[in-house]
Amino acid sequence: MTSTNQDIEQLLLLCKSSNQRAQLEIYDRYNKAMYNTALRIVKDSYRAEDIMQESFLTAFTKLNTLEDTKLFGAWLKRIVVNNSIAHYNKTAKQNEVPLETVIYKVEDDNGIEERNQNTDKVKHILKVMKTLKPNYSLGLSLHLIEGYDYEEICDIMDISYANCRTMISRAKESLRKKLMQTA
């Protein structure tokens, strides 16, 4: 077992006894990845940060329900994805228009991008993905970036398997066409 995994397991034991330093250490290790996960789904940096914070609170309060501490990262990510999807569905039902589609938005990207998202090509693809229909963008994010399979996406988005495969296929084709137009 690696020392990092041992450290995480020891930190989680301390977190169960409400040790705030241990909680802060866990937060510091996972916050950027969880923020990026939420951001890819909700597409709003402030809401993504809120979702990330809420997810950490949920994780720390329900830590006793985690059976295998080695799976903490995946468990936390699942909480973030579920909270993000819940917000996405709530927003879609309310037909809210994201602020960035109405006014020009200046963002400070410091500290929010993962290492593999620093290339111009990846940034361009993610930017074009944001222009797709919301369900296409969400489906592709879950499948290609988060690594969920079709069955998991069906559960998350509450759609049939056939609908999921068709949607992702159409989303890939739409993304391909938009990328060719902007190339």
Side-chain angles (χ1 to χ4, degrees):
M1 183 181 321
T2 66
S3 63
T4 304
N5 285 345
Q6 280 181 329
D7 291 343
I8 294 291
E9 291 176 15
Q10 291 168 353
L11 287 170
L12 291 173
L13 282 173
L14 292 171
C15 287
K16 286 181 181 181
S17 63
S18 300
N19 182 311
Q20 291 181 346
R21 286 188 181 173
Q23 290 174 342
L24 181 60
E25 180 64 27
I26 293 286
Y27 177 84
D28 288 341
R29 291 186 187 191
Y30 288 94
N31 71 356
K32 288 181 183 176
M34 297 306 123
Y35 171 83
N36 286 326
T37 298
L39 183 62
R40 283 190 290 268
I41 296 171
V42 299
K43 295 175 185 55
D44 178 299
S45 61
Y46 297 112
R47 191 62 194 142
E49 193 169 325
D50 287 345
I51 288 169
M52 177 201 55
Q53 297 283 344
E54 291 168 12
S55 298
F56 272 102
L57 288 173
T58 301
F60 288 140
T61 57
K62 297 189 179 201
L63 201 51
N64 291 327
T65 65
L66 179 63
E67 295 174 9
D68 186 358
T69 55
K70 295 174 188 167
L71 301 176
F72 176 76
W75 180 69
L76 178 61
K77 185 175 182 178
R78 187 65 179 184
I79 293 171
V80 171
V81 168
N82 287 343
N83 288 344
S84 300
I85 295 292
H87 177 266
Y88 174 85
N89 288 337
K90 179 181 166 189
T91 303
K93 287 178 184 172
Q94 293 174 352
N95 292 326
E96 290 181 5
V97 177
L99 185 60
E100 58 267 9
T101 62
V102 180
I103 62 172
Y104 178 73
K105 180 179 172 189
V106 178
E107 281 189 11
D108 177 13
D109 288 338
N110 292 335
I112 64 168
E113 292 194 323
E114 295 178 44
R115 278 176 281 182
N116 62 348
Q117 292 182 356
N118 289 333
T119 66
D120 291 334
K121 187 175 184 179
V122 172
K123 287 180 182 178
H124 177 68
I125 292 170
L126 291 173
K127 183 179 178 182
V128 172
M129 275 181 66
K130 289 179 182 179
T131 67
L132 297 175
K133 291 180 6 179
N135 62 328
Y136 283 7
S137 179
L138 176 61
L140 282 179
S141 291
L142 290 171
H143 184 61
L144 300 176
I145 297 172
E146 302 303 332
Y148 287 99
D149 61 24
Y150 291 129
E151 290 86 7
E152 292 170 317
I153 295 170
C154 291
D155 291 340
I156 291 169
M157 295 182 72
D158 195 26
I159 56 176
S160 70
Y161 184 82
N163 190 5
C164 179
R165 288 186 58 96
T166 301
M167 178 195 61
I168 291 190
S169 175
R170 289 178 181 169
K172 285 179 183 177
E173 184 60 30
S174 180
L175 178 63
R176 199 174 293 117
K177 286 179 182 176
K178 287 188 178 218
L179 287 171
M180 287 178 25
Q181 291 172 353
T182 60

